[in-house]
Amino acid sequence: MDQTVTLSHSAAARVAAIAEKQGKPAILRLSVEGGGCSGFQYKFGLAEAPEADDAVAETDGVRLVVDSVSLDLVSGCVVDYVESLGGAAFRVENPQAAAGCGCGSSFSV
């Protein structure tokens, strides 16, 4: 894909560590579902392999895959992994989001 979605180095390192512990390929799937407090919510999970219509970005040998429907809502975003006093989580910096919630896991366009 033409890097319309980017995986940060810290997110790639975290995905690699989780995948190694679970004995799975280092492939993070990002999808968007209806719901959450702002209308849409991000969903993350490890994937066994990219699907035929997935967009794929790679950072440090770790792949980020996004289905074609979700890509319309997250194009241009950066997936990061952040650790803070409140905990650690993957965070999506989405330039298309008009509004979001405090937890950072849902958004509206």
Side-chain angles (χ1 to χ4, degrees):
M1 116 174 124
D2 61 333
Q3 293 300 359
T4 56
V5 178
T6 306
L7 187 65
S8 74
H9 294 286
S10 62
R14 184 64 182 152
V15 171
I18 292 170
E20 185 177 347
K21 278 185 185 177
Q22 295 186 9
K24 294 188 174 191
I27 303 172
L28 179 67
R29 174 168 298 284
L30 167 62
S31 58
V32 176
E33 297 179 341
C37 45
S38 295
F40 294 103
Q41 61 187 3
Y42 302 111
K43 182 178 177 189
F44 293 101
L46 290 179
E48 290 295 325
E51 300 291 328
D53 69 336
D54 283 343
V56 181
E58 189 167 327
T59 302
D60 301 334
V62 175
R63 291 184 281 177
L64 172 65
V65 295
V66 181
D67 64 89
S68 59
V69 174
S70 297
L71 186 61
D72 288 340
L73 296 168
V74 297
S75 183
C77 80
V78 176
V79 176
D80 196 9
Y81 180 73
V82 212
E83 293 184 33
S84 67
L85 291 175
F90 288 102
R91 176 159 296 150
V92 179
E93 297 169 18
N94 188 347
Q96 294 190 61
C101 66
C103 66
S105 64
S106 70
F107 68 102
S108 63
V109 289

